Each structure stands twice: as structure tokens, then as C-alpha cells.
PDB file of all heavy atoms in Angstrom:
ATOM      1  N   VAL A 517      90.260  -8.603 -30.747  1.00 98.00           N
ATOM      2  CA  VAL A 517      90.208  -9.323 -32.028  1.00 98.00           C
ATOM      3  C   VAL A 517      89.986  -8.221 -33.053  1.00 98.00           C
ATOM      4  O   VAL A 517      88.967  -7.533 -33.035  1.00 98.00           O
ATOM      5  CB  VAL A 517      89.085 -10.369 -32.052  1.00 98.00           C
ATOM      6  CG1 VAL A 517      89.011 -11.009 -33.427  1.00 98.00           C
ATOM      7  CG2 VAL A 517      89.281 -11.411 -30.969  1.00 98.00           C
ATOM      8  N   ILE A 518      90.968  -8.051 -33.927  1.00 98.00           N
ATOM      9  CA  ILE A 518      90.964  -6.967 -34.889  1.00 98.00           C
ATOM     10  C   ILE A 518      90.708  -7.531 -36.279  1.00 98.00           C
ATOM     11  O   ILE A 518      91.470  -8.369 -36.775  1.00 98.00           O
ATOM     12  CB  ILE A 518      92.316  -6.211 -34.895  1.00 98.00           C
ATOM     13  CG1 ILE A 518      92.643  -5.721 -33.476  1.00 98.00           C
ATOM     14  CG2 ILE A 518      92.288  -5.084 -35.910  1.00 98.00           C
ATOM     15  CD1 ILE A 518      94.080  -5.183 -33.328  1.00 98.00           C
ATOM     16  N   SER A 519      89.626  -7.074 -36.919  1.00 97.00           N
ATOM     17  CA  SER A 519      89.326  -7.439 -38.305  1.00 97.00           C
ATOM     18  C   SER A 519      89.756  -6.271 -39.167  1.00 97.00           C
ATOM     19  O   SER A 519      89.264  -5.137 -38.955  1.00 97.00           O
ATOM     20  CB  SER A 519      87.813  -7.690 -38.466  1.00 97.00           C
ATOM     21  OG  SER A 519      87.393  -8.715 -37.638  1.00 97.00           O
ATOM     22  N   VAL A 520      90.626  -6.514 -40.096  1.00 97.00           N
ATOM     23  CA  VAL A 520      91.098  -5.411 -40.947  1.00 97.00           C
ATOM     24  C   VAL A 520      90.534  -5.561 -42.358  1.00 97.00           C
ATOM     25  O   VAL A 520      90.269  -6.642 -42.824  1.00 97.00           O
ATOM     26  CB  VAL A 520      92.642  -5.322 -40.988  1.00 97.00           C
ATOM     27  CG1 VAL A 520      93.204  -5.047 -39.617  1.00 97.00           C
ATOM     28  CG2 VAL A 520      93.262  -6.564 -41.576  1.00 97.00           C
ATOM     29  N   GLY A 521      90.382  -4.420 -43.014  1.00 94.00           N
ATOM     30  CA  GLY A 521      89.911  -4.425 -44.387  1.00 94.00           C
ATOM     31  C   GLY A 521      90.795  -5.252 -45.278  1.00 94.00           C
ATOM     32  O   GLY A 521      92.022  -5.353 -45.049  1.00 94.00           O
ATOM     33  N   GLY A 522      90.212  -5.807 -46.323  1.00 93.00           N
ATOM     34  CA  GLY A 522      90.946  -6.701 -47.198  1.00 93.00           C
ATOM     35  C   GLY A 522      92.160  -6.088 -47.877  1.00 93.00           C
ATOM     36  O   GLY A 522      93.135  -6.765 -48.154  1.00 93.00           O
ATOM     37  N   GLY A 523      92.132  -4.786 -48.123  1.00 94.00           N
ATOM     38  CA  GLY A 523      93.235  -4.113 -48.779  1.00 94.00           C
ATOM     39  C   GLY A 523      94.238  -3.494 -47.833  1.00 94.00           C
ATOM     40  O   GLY A 523      95.240  -2.905 -48.282  1.00 94.00           O
ATOM     41  N   ALA A 524      94.050  -3.622 -46.543  1.00 96.00           N
ATOM     42  CA  ALA A 524      94.965  -3.019 -45.567  1.00 96.00           C
ATOM     43  C   ALA A 524      96.383  -3.543 -45.733  1.00 96.00           C
ATOM     44  O   ALA A 524      97.360  -2.847 -45.463  1.00 96.00           O
ATOM     45  CB  ALA A 524      94.484  -3.258 -44.150  1.00 96.00           C
ATOM     46  N   VAL A 525      96.516  -4.777 -46.239  1.00 97.00           N
ATOM     47  CA  VAL A 525      97.840  -5.400 -46.393  1.00 97.00           C
ATOM     48  C   VAL A 525      98.640  -4.769 -47.520  1.00 97.00           C
ATOM     49  O   VAL A 525      99.842  -5.038 -47.648  1.00 97.00           O
ATOM     50  CB  VAL A 525      97.719  -6.913 -46.636  1.00 97.00           C
ATOM     51  CG1 VAL A 525      97.102  -7.599 -45.440  1.00 97.00           C
ATOM     52  CG2 VAL A 525      96.968  -7.222 -47.915  1.00 97.00           C
ATOM     53  N   LEU A 526      98.033  -3.932 -48.329  1.00 95.00           N
ATOM     54  CA  LEU A 526      98.752  -3.279 -49.431  1.00 95.00           C
ATOM     55  C   LEU A 526      99.840  -2.332 -48.920  1.00 95.00           C
ATOM     56  O   LEU A 526     100.812  -2.085 -49.624  1.00 95.00           O
ATOM     57  CB  LEU A 526      97.788  -2.528 -50.338  1.00 95.00           C
ATOM     58  CG  LEU A 526      96.740  -3.397 -51.072  1.00 95.00           C
ATOM     59  CD1 LEU A 526      95.715  -2.506 -51.773  1.00 95.00           C
ATOM     60  CD2 LEU A 526      97.424  -4.317 -52.056  1.00 95.00           C
ATOM     61  N   SER A 527      99.674  -1.850 -47.710  1.00 96.00           N
ATOM     62  CA  SER A 527     100.629  -0.909 -47.107  1.00 96.00           C
ATOM     63  C   SER A 527     101.649  -1.667 -46.255  1.00 96.00           C
ATOM     64  O   SER A 527     101.254  -2.375 -45.325  1.00 96.00           O
ATOM     65  CB  SER A 527      99.887   0.107 -46.256  1.00 96.00           C
ATOM     66  OG  SER A 527     100.740   0.720 -45.327  1.00 96.00           O
ATOM     67  N   GLU A 528     102.918  -1.486 -46.539  1.00 96.00           N
ATOM     68  CA  GLU A 528     103.956  -2.095 -45.717  1.00 96.00           C
ATOM     69  C   GLU A 528     103.882  -1.594 -44.282  1.00 96.00           C
ATOM     70  O   GLU A 528     104.084  -2.351 -43.326  1.00 96.00           O
ATOM     71  CB  GLU A 528     105.348  -1.818 -46.294  1.00 96.00           C
ATOM     72  CG  GLU A 528     106.450  -2.493 -45.554  1.00 96.00           C
ATOM     73  CD  GLU A 528     107.819  -2.291 -46.174  1.00 96.00           C
ATOM     74  OE1 GLU A 528     107.925  -1.579 -47.205  1.00 96.00           O
ATOM     75  OE2 GLU A 528     108.799  -2.836 -45.632  1.00 96.00           O
ATOM     76  N   GLN A 529     103.546  -0.324 -44.124  1.00 97.00           N
ATOM     77  CA  GLN A 529     103.399   0.252 -42.785  1.00 97.00           C
ATOM     78  C   GLN A 529     102.303  -0.483 -42.005  1.00 97.00           C
ATOM     79  O   GLN A 529     102.471  -0.811 -40.833  1.00 97.00           O
ATOM     80  CB  GLN A 529     103.077   1.749 -42.887  1.00 97.00           C
ATOM     81  CG  GLN A 529     102.970   2.439 -41.542  1.00 97.00           C
ATOM     82  CD  GLN A 529     102.666   3.932 -41.716  1.00 97.00           C
ATOM     83  OE1 GLN A 529     102.540   4.450 -42.804  1.00 97.00           O
ATOM     84  NE2 GLN A 529     102.580   4.625 -40.588  1.00 97.00           N
ATOM     85  N   ASN A 530     101.186  -0.767 -42.669  1.00 97.00           N
ATOM     86  CA  ASN A 530     100.107  -1.517 -42.014  1.00 97.00           C
ATOM     87  C   ASN A 530     100.556  -2.941 -41.678  1.00 97.00           C
ATOM     88  O   ASN A 530     100.289  -3.432 -40.567  1.00 97.00           O
ATOM     89  CB  ASN A 530      98.866  -1.564 -42.894  1.00 97.00           C
ATOM     90  CG  ASN A 530      98.180  -0.229 -43.040  1.00 97.00           C
ATOM     91  OD1 ASN A 530      98.454   0.708 -42.324  1.00 97.00           O
ATOM     92  ND2 ASN A 530      97.292  -0.151 -44.034  1.00 97.00           N
ATOM     93  N   ARG A 531     101.216  -3.579 -42.622  1.00 97.00           N
ATOM     94  CA  ARG A 531     101.650  -4.962 -42.367  1.00 97.00           C
ATOM     95  C   ARG A 531     102.593  -5.008 -41.159  1.00 97.00           C
ATOM     96  O   ARG A 531     102.464  -5.883 -40.301  1.00 97.00           O
ATOM     97  CB  ARG A 531     102.347  -5.553 -43.605  1.00 97.00           C
ATOM     98  CG  ARG A 531     101.389  -5.800 -44.774  1.00 97.00           C
ATOM     99  CD  ARG A 531     101.995  -6.651 -45.875  1.00 97.00           C
ATOM    100  NE  ARG A 531     103.290  -6.233 -46.366  1.00 97.00           N
ATOM    101  CZ  ARG A 531     103.485  -5.314 -47.326  1.00 97.00           C
ATOM    102  NH1 ARG A 531     102.463  -4.704 -47.897  1.00 97.00           N
ATOM    103  NH2 ARG A 531     104.703  -5.018 -47.713  1.00 97.00           N
ATOM    104  N   ASN A 532     103.528  -4.085 -41.078  1.00 96.00           N
ATOM    105  CA  ASN A 532     104.447  -4.046 -39.939  1.00 96.00           C
ATOM    106  C   ASN A 532     103.726  -3.807 -38.634  1.00 96.00           C
ATOM    107  O   ASN A 532     103.988  -4.463 -37.637  1.00 96.00           O
ATOM    108  CB  ASN A 532     105.516  -2.986 -40.156  1.00 96.00           C
ATOM    109  CG  ASN A 532     106.488  -3.362 -41.254  1.00 96.00           C
ATOM    110  OD1 ASN A 532     106.681  -4.540 -41.578  1.00 96.00           O
ATOM    111  ND2 ASN A 532     107.115  -2.369 -41.862  1.00 96.00           N
ATOM    112  N   ALA A 533     102.780  -2.873 -38.635  1.00 96.00           N
ATOM    113  CA  ALA A 533     102.021  -2.561 -37.414  1.00 96.00           C
ATOM    114  C   ALA A 533     101.197  -3.760 -36.973  1.00 96.00           C
ATOM    115  O   ALA A 533     101.144  -4.083 -35.786  1.00 96.00           O
ATOM    116  CB  ALA A 533     101.128  -1.347 -37.640  1.00 96.00           C
ATOM    117  N   LEU A 534     100.560  -4.412 -37.924  1.00 96.00           N
ATOM    118  CA  LEU A 534      99.720  -5.580 -37.580  1.00 96.00           C
ATOM    119  C   LEU A 534     100.575  -6.750 -37.090  1.00 96.00           C
ATOM    120  O   LEU A 534     100.235  -7.416 -36.107  1.00 96.00           O
ATOM    121  CB  LEU A 534      98.863  -5.991 -38.784  1.00 96.00           C
ATOM    122  CG  LEU A 534      97.829  -4.954 -39.211  1.00 96.00           C
ATOM    123  CD1 LEU A 534      97.246  -5.287 -40.573  1.00 96.00           C
ATOM    124  CD2 LEU A 534      96.740  -4.801 -38.165  1.00 96.00           C
ATOM    125  N   ARG A 535     101.678  -6.980 -37.748  1.00 95.00           N
ATOM    126  CA  ARG A 535     102.589  -8.071 -37.344  1.00 95.00           C
ATOM    127  C   ARG A 535     103.075  -7.860 -35.918  1.00 95.00           C
ATOM    128  O   ARG A 535     103.138  -8.798 -35.130  1.00 95.00           O
ATOM    129  CB  ARG A 535     103.781  -8.103 -38.296  1.00 95.00           C
ATOM    130  CG  ARG A 535     104.741  -9.249 -38.073  1.00 95.00           C
ATOM    131  CD  ARG A 535     105.907  -9.235 -39.053  1.00 95.00           C
ATOM    132  NE  ARG A 535     105.485  -9.394 -40.446  1.00 95.00           N
ATOM    133  CZ  ARG A 535     105.517  -8.413 -41.362  1.00 95.00           C
ATOM    134  NH1 ARG A 535     105.977  -7.220 -41.063  1.00 95.00           N
ATOM    135  NH2 ARG A 535     105.127  -8.636 -42.597  1.00 95.00           N
ATOM    136  N   ASP A 536     103.385  -6.633 -35.581  1.00 94.00           N
ATOM    137  CA  ASP A 536     103.880  -6.312 -34.234  1.00 94.00           C
ATOM    138  C   ASP A 536     102.776  -6.343 -33.184  1.00 94.00           C
ATOM    139  O   ASP A 536     103.075  -6.464 -32.004  1.00 94.00           O
ATOM    140  CB  ASP A 536     104.526  -4.932 -34.209  1.00 94.00           C
ATOM    141  CG  ASP A 536     105.830  -4.893 -34.998  1.00 94.00           C
ATOM    142  OD1 ASP A 536     106.384  -5.963 -35.325  1.00 94.00           O
ATOM    143  OD2 ASP A 536     106.286  -3.771 -35.313  1.00 94.00           O
ATOM    144  N   ALA A 537     101.528  -6.259 -33.594  1.00 96.00           N
ATOM    145  CA  ALA A 537     100.404  -6.124 -32.657  1.00 96.00           C
ATOM    146  C   ALA A 537      99.847  -7.449 -32.156  1.00 96.00           C
ATOM    147  O   ALA A 537      99.085  -7.463 -31.193  1.00 96.00           O
ATOM    148  CB  ALA A 537      99.278  -5.323 -33.285  1.00 96.00           C
ATOM    149  N   GLY A 538     100.189  -8.546 -32.814  1.00 95.00           N
ATOM    150  CA  GLY A 538      99.655  -9.816 -32.358  1.00 95.00           C
ATOM    151  C   GLY A 538      99.727 -10.911 -33.369  1.00 95.00           C
ATOM    152  O   GLY A 538     100.512 -10.843 -34.317  1.00 95.00           O
ATOM    153  N   LEU A 539      98.885 -11.906 -33.200  1.00 95.00           N
ATOM    154  CA  LEU A 539      98.840 -13.064 -34.046  1.00 95.00           C
ATOM    155  C   LEU A 539      97.946 -12.794 -35.253  1.00 95.00           C
ATOM    156  O   LEU A 539      96.759 -12.514 -35.105  1.00 95.00           O
ATOM    157  CB  LEU A 539      98.289 -14.255 -33.254  1.00 95.00           C
ATOM    158  CG  LEU A 539      98.169 -15.568 -33.975  1.00 95.00           C
ATOM    159  CD1 LEU A 539      99.547 -16.155 -34.243  1.00 95.00           C
ATOM    160  CD2 LEU A 539      97.333 -16.550 -33.155  1.00 95.00           C
ATOM    161  N   CYS A 540      98.527 -12.901 -36.451  1.00 96.00           N
ATOM    162  CA  CYS A 540      97.775 -12.628 -37.677  1.00 96.00           C
ATOM    163  C   CYS A 540      97.287 -13.950 -38.275  1.00 96.00           C
ATOM    164  O   CYS A 540      98.081 -14.860 -38.540  1.00 96.00           O
ATOM    165  CB  CYS A 540      98.640 -11.894 -38.698  1.00 96.00           C
ATOM    166  SG  CYS A 540      99.104 -10.247 -38.147  1.00 96.00           S
ATOM    167  N   ILE A 541      95.987 -14.027 -38.481  1.00 96.00           N
ATOM    168  CA  ILE A 541      95.357 -15.236 -39.028  1.00 96.00           C
ATOM    169  C   ILE A 541      94.661 -14.855 -40.329  1.00 96.00           C
ATOM    170  O   ILE A 541      93.821 -13.949 -40.349  1.00 96.00           O
ATOM    171  CB  ILE A 541      94.361 -15.850 -38.041  1.00 96.00           C
ATOM    172  CG1 ILE A 541      95.111 -16.256 -36.758  1.00 96.00           C
ATOM    173  CG2 ILE A 541      93.647 -17.045 -38.678  1.00 96.00           C
ATOM    174  CD1 ILE A 541      94.235 -16.792 -35.663  1.00 96.00           C
ATOM    175  N   TRP A 542      95.021 -15.551 -41.392  1.00 96.00           N
ATOM    176  CA  TRP A 542      94.458 -15.303 -42.716  1.00 96.00           C
ATOM    177  C   TRP A 542      93.267 -16.241 -42.919  1.00 96.00           C
ATOM    178  O   TRP A 542      93.425 -17.464 -42.917  1.00 96.00           O
ATOM    179  CB  TRP A 542      95.538 -15.551 -43.768  1.00 96.00           C
ATOM    180  CG  TRP A 542      95.139 -15.450 -45.182  1.00 96.00           C
ATOM    181  CD1 TRP A 542      94.027 -14.880 -45.714  1.00 96.00           C
ATOM    182  CD2 TRP A 542      95.912 -15.898 -46.296  1.00 96.00           C
ATOM    183  NE1 TRP A 542      94.039 -14.961 -47.087  1.00 96.00           N
ATOM    184  CE2 TRP A 542      95.193 -15.579 -47.483  1.00 96.00           C
ATOM    185  CE3 TRP A 542      97.146 -16.550 -46.405  1.00 96.00           C
ATOM    186  CZ2 TRP A 542      95.677 -15.897 -48.744  1.00 96.00           C
ATOM    187  CZ3 TRP A 542      97.610 -16.842 -47.693  1.00 96.00           C
ATOM    188  CH2 TRP A 542      96.890 -16.512 -48.851  1.00 96.00           C
ATOM    189  N   LEU A 543      92.091 -15.651 -43.052  1.00 97.00           N
ATOM    190  CA  LEU A 543      90.878 -16.418 -43.333  1.00 97.00           C
ATOM    191  C   LEU A 543      90.734 -16.477 -44.860  1.00 97.00           C
ATOM    192  O   LEU A 543      90.773 -15.455 -45.537  1.00 97.00           O
ATOM    193  CB  LEU A 543      89.658 -15.751 -42.725  1.00 97.00           C
ATOM    194  CG  LEU A 543      89.670 -15.583 -41.184  1.00 97.00           C
ATOM    195  CD1 LEU A 543      88.384 -14.966 -40.701  1.00 97.00           C
ATOM    196  CD2 LEU A 543      90.001 -16.879 -40.487  1.00 97.00           C
ATOM    197  N   THR A 544      90.585 -17.690 -45.391  1.00 94.00           N
ATOM    198  CA  THR A 544      90.546 -17.885 -46.841  1.00 94.00           C
ATOM    199  C   THR A 544      89.262 -18.551 -47.294  1.00 94.00           C
ATOM    200  O   THR A 544      88.620 -19.243 -46.524  1.00 94.00           O
ATOM    201  CB  THR A 544      91.765 -18.720 -47.323  1.00 94.00           C
ATOM    202  OG1 THR A 544      91.614 -20.035 -46.801  1.00 94.00           O
ATOM    203  CG2 THR A 544      93.067 -18.127 -46.916  1.00 94.00           C
ATOM    204  N   ALA A 545      88.954 -18.344 -48.556  1.00 93.00           N
ATOM    205  CA  ALA A 545      87.862 -19.022 -49.246  1.00 93.00           C
ATOM    206  C   ALA A 545      88.107 -18.829 -50.739  1.00 93.00           C
ATOM    207  O   ALA A 545      88.780 -17.866 -51.134  1.00 93.00           O
ATOM    208  CB  ALA A 545      86.500 -18.436 -48.843  1.00 93.00           C
TER     209      ALA A 545
END
């Protein structure tokens, strides 16, 4: 279970790596 920093999504490289690594769940409030 990987918790990533809130700004990690700013990088397309990070988004691609995370998308390929598993199920991405957005926790909101």
C-alpha cells in the first residue's frame, strides 16, 4: 500500500509509474 505525497502527481513520469504499479485510489475531503 503506497501513500504518495500530495504533489507527486505534478510529474507525468510519476503519474505513469504509479498508474502502471497498481490500483490508484484518490482520497478526498
Side-chain angles (χ1 to χ4, degrees):
V517 176
I518 304 169
S519 301
V520 298
V525 298
L526 296 172
S527 160
E528 184 176 2
Q529 183 178 0
N530 291 346
R531 292 192 309 274
N532 290 336
L534 294 168
R535 185 180 297 110
D536 292 344
L539 180 71
C540 295
I541 299 176
W542 176 15
L543 301 183
T544 66

